[in-house]
Amino acid sequence: MVHPWTGARRREGGSATNAVWSLVVPLKPLAVAKSRLAAAVGASRPGLALAFAQDTVAGALACAAVADVVVVTDDAEAGKELARLGARIVADAPATGLNAALVHGAREIRRIRPGAAVAAMNADLPALRPPELLRVLEAASVFPRAFLADAAGIGTTLLSAAPDVELAPSFGGPSRARHSASGAAEIGIANVESVRRDVDTGADLRAALALGVGRHTARYSARMQATAYTYDSQTRSGSVLLDDGTPVPFGAPAFDAGGLRLLRPGQRVRIETDGEGPALRITLVTLQTF
Ligand SMILES: Nc1nc2c(ncn2[C@@H]2O[C@H](COP(=O)(O)OP(=O)(O)OP(=O)(O)O)[C@@H](O)[C@H]2O)c(=O)[nH]1
Ligand SMILES: C=C(OP(=O)(O)O)C(=O)O
């Protein structure tokens, strides 16, 4: 099968080749981002919003089908941290909202790379796994426009547009129905939970932690759960410092067989590593507190 717009020949049974995407990731100023999460995480909200964006951008840049990531934001601190991961930062047109930001980002991409295939993806996907994003983008690449519904089946986490097709975003609330009504094809593939798992509420955060989050969110969440947290990406080791300052290394026997240890009465944390990819992916499940 010849790829509809790259002309690449799809290897029989293999994946689409040469389908390269530019991603537009919108990010609100951290001071006001993730307001629905405030009830669950309190003052940690801005730090978590940044950690979500960092894991989203890092996961996207590690995906074989992604050529580049453009973050549309007015937040200088967030922009600096995300640029450090390799994203290109575009200033948001002030106070025009999410969809205008996405249109602005897509136009900026195509100003530099005319005819680029563009996909908009929310910045709140902390469990994002590159292989799952690859499958989503491959599925999207056979449609002029396509979208992926969020885990709740109400919103949208990704909207794609083939070269020379306008993105025409309509994010916000029940956007799944709007994107479908606009003619975008719904991507229905299974086993891409990490690309659907956006985090708006404490329950969403627990679900993402159970799925396994990237190191930025894991580190931040662990810091929220314990007095401090050390992590060394070089030696791929780390420890959670308990309230009394006791360092408990990851995977240490100090954790019981199931990797569970009581940090404080009623609070339980599971830390385990699946060693996936270049970064230590820490599955940190906090059963309470959020
Ligand atoms: N650049 C930009 N990004 C936005 C804007 N509004 C929302 N976003 C981003 O769009 C994505 C999806 O939005 P939401 O899930 O509603 O995120 P949020 O607005 O921080 O969350 P709430 O405050 O709880 O509504 C997130 O990555 C937001 O940061 C905007 O006006 N400009
Ligand atoms: C912007 C969106 O996310 P949410 O409404 O869940 O914040 C959306 O799903 O279109």
Side-chain angles (χ1 to χ4, degrees):
M1 171 188 160
V2 176
H3 196 277
W5 40 264
T6 62
R9 183 163 301 284
R10 179 191 288 268
R11 295 186 296 273
E12 280 316 308
S15 61
T17 54
N18 306 334
V20 287
W21 292 85
S22 289
L23 263 54
V24 187
V25 176
L27 182 64
K28 243 184 189 175
L30 298 177
V32 293
K34 297 288 107 185
S35 60
R36 286 169 280 176
L37 198 54
V41 303
S44 297
R45 177 187 52 74
L48 270 174
L50 176 58
F52 296 166
Q54 288 171 306
D55 285 330
T56 301
V57 168
L61 287 168
C63 175
V66 173
D68 54 5
V69 173
V70 169
V71 174
V72 183
T73 187
D74 259 352
D75 189 305
E77 180 213 345
K80 189 173 63 177
E81 293 304 324
L82 297 171
R84 192 174 290 155
L85 296 175
R88 188 155 63 89
I89 310 303
V90 169
D92 192 354
T96 54
L98 165 52
N99 291 302
L102 292 172
V103 170
H104 179 52
R107 283 194 180 136
E108 177 57 22
I109 285 167
R110 287 173 168 167
R111 180 181 67 81
I112 295 173
R113 207 152 65 84
V118 174
M121 187 169 73
N122 292 345
D124 54 3
L125 305 173
L128 185 65
R129 284 178 161 79
E132 293 184 9
L133 176 58
L134 177 60
R135 292 185 55 236
V136 170
L137 292 173
E138 286 184 351
S141 66
V142 296
F143 300 105
R145 287 174 65 241
F147 72 94
L148 188 72
D150 63 9
I154 296 168
T156 305
T157 56
L158 183 141
L159 172 71
S160 68
D164 306 322
V165 176
E166 287 301 312
L167 192 61
S170 186
F171 281 81
S175 61
R176 175 185 185 182
R178 283 199 307 273
H179 284 136
S180 182
S182 74
E186 179 158 1
I187 298 167
I189 58 178
N191 305 318
V192 289
E193 283 74 15
S194 73
V195 197
R196 297 181 187 276
R197 183 65 275 167
D198 63 335
V199 177
D200 293 321
T201 65
D204 296 341
L205 180 51
R206 277 195 295 274
L209 289 167
L211 200 54
V213 293
R215 65 170 179 274
H216 300 94
T217 304
R219 183 187 303 144
Y220 198 93
S221 304
R223 194 162 58 234
M224 282 170 57
Q225 298 314 312
T227 49
Y229 172 82
T230 64
Y231 174 79
D232 178 343
S233 58
Q234 301 307 320
T235 61
R236 299 162 63 91
S237 63
S239 61
V240 174
L241 302 186
L242 306 183
D243 292 343
D244 61 3
T246 311
V248 181
F250 282 139
F255 284 85
D256 65 27
L260 285 179
R261 176 185 172 110
L262 279 179
L263 287 180
R264 277 200 300 266
Q267 187 180 32
R268 295 162 64 84
V269 169
R270 176 195 299 278
I271 293 183
E272 61 199 14
T273 63
D274 60 12
E276 183 181 69
L280 191 63
R281 177 179 290 282
I282 300 155
T283 304
L284 183 133
V285 178
T286 303
L287 305 180
Q288 295 176 10
T289 306
F290 280 126

